Amino acid sequence: MTARGGTEPASALPVLQERLAAVLETARQAWPGVALEGPRFAAHLARLVPADGDEAAWGKLHMVDVYLARAAADGLPAALATFEARLMPEVDAAVARLKLPAAGLDEVRQLLRQRMLVGSADAPARLAAYPGTGPLAGWVRAAALWLALDWQRQRSGQAQSEDGDLSMLVAPGDDPELAYLKQTYRAEFSASFTAALAALSARQRNFLRLKYLDGLGIDQLGALYGVHRSTAARWVVGAQEELLDGTRQRLTERLRLTRSQLDSVLRLISSQLDVSLSRLLRTHSE
């Protein structure tokens, strides 16, 4: 096996060959009947494992999933059948709570097959790009969710179920599809938050800065403005609620999500970024 950018030293070849043989054996036992050729698999791994990759680098990859993904991307019939039987049910599980109509679910499944297994003139089968850093099932689920959300956005004029839920997104994982989904929502949330903050009155922004950035307590705020602490508390809560409501409203408009879906997106963002009002205000402070 050769690594990216060159040939392994002769002394390393026996170790690499031993690792490859062990991985091939494990993968073929995991996926009976899927017979990807060893040299083809070795060439694929050479693109995934760093040139100086040691055993730890190998250990981070979900090798049996990489094997299946490469075989399915190559169109091996047994691999395609395995993908259909073992991984396509992940699509149904991932989008079930979105409550797509039957026609929508069928379309998402077909789009996922096209994207993952066939590709196009401009983009090869997506499975060929699976990096192996997270479980293949999670990677497929994230792709299915993205396709389902896109399907909903394109048909936003139609009624959408208020019971839709994106809670599957909260599952941990570091695969590129899920990371892209999170990054998309973070960018949309940041833009919505900035717009909502700008829409507050100067006095409301000042309340929030004094409390969350300068650390003033309610009693101190009351003394500063010459009002009772309950009045100061009411002002702060009112500004905070208007800011968050404005953020939700703008995020809903940007993503065209139902209320329950929006709540799940906000949970996803907060679970990964530890979103707090003080941190956001500090980021967007004038």
Side-chain angles (χ1 to χ4, degrees), residues 49-50 54-63 66 130-135 174:
V49 181
D54 54 15
E55 186 144 1
W58 280 65
K60 292 178 181 178
L61 294 182
H62 292 247
M63 289 293 189
V66 171
Y130 167 62
T133 52
D174 58 357

Side-chain angles (χ1 to χ4, degrees), residues 87-160:
L87 291 170
M88 285 305 294
E90 298 290 341
V91 177
D92 297 351
V95 306
R97 295 186 183 182
L98 291 178
K99 299 190 182 299
L100 297 182
L105 179 57
D106 287 343
E107 186 171 344
V108 168
R109 288 169 63 87
Q110 286 301 111
L111 287 171
L112 186 120
R113 289 188 184 97
Q114 173 69 29
R115 184 182 188 192
M116 289 286 175
L117 302 172
V118 181
S120 64
D122 299 325
R126 191 73 174 86
L127 280 180
Y130 167 62
T133 52
L136 182 57
W139 207 65
V140 170
R141 281 198 303 269
L145 277 167
W146 177 252
L147 289 171
L149 286 170
D150 191 51
W151 187 91
Q152 281 192 333
R153 280 194 292 267
Q154 290 178 18
R155 292 155 182 80
S156 58
Q158 302 175 9
Q160 294 183 356

Side-chain angles (χ1 to χ4, degrees), residues 4 9 58 66 75 79 89 139 145 161 171 185 198 255 258 269 282-283:
R4 293 179 298 182
W58 280 65
V66 171
W139 207 65
L145 277 167
S161 169
Y185 284 140
L255 297 177
T258 66
I269 295 169
R282 185 173 297 108
T283 301

Side-chain angles (χ1 to χ4, degrees), residues 189-213:
F189 181 84
S190 178
S192 298
F193 182 89
T194 301
L197 183 62
L200 296 179
S201 68
R203 187 178 185 182
Q204 287 175 313
R205 288 196 298 272
N206 199 42
F207 292 155
L208 295 177
R209 280 197 296 269
L210 289 170
K211 176 173 175 54
Y212 290 101
L213 299 185

Side-chain angles (χ1 to χ4, degrees), residues 60-83:
K60 292 178 181 178
L61 294 182
H62 292 247
M63 289 293 189
V64 296
D65 285 351
V66 171
Y67 179 91
L68 178 64
R70 180 69 266 175
D74 286 353
L76 297 187
L80 295 176
T82 300
F83 183 90

Side-chain angles (χ1 to χ4, degrees), residues 13-29:
L13 286 178
V15 176
L16 287 173
Q17 290 170 346
E18 183 177 338
R19 287 177 182 167
L20 179 59
V23 168
L24 276 172
E25 178 65 21
T26 301
R28 287 169 177 168
Q29 288 180 2

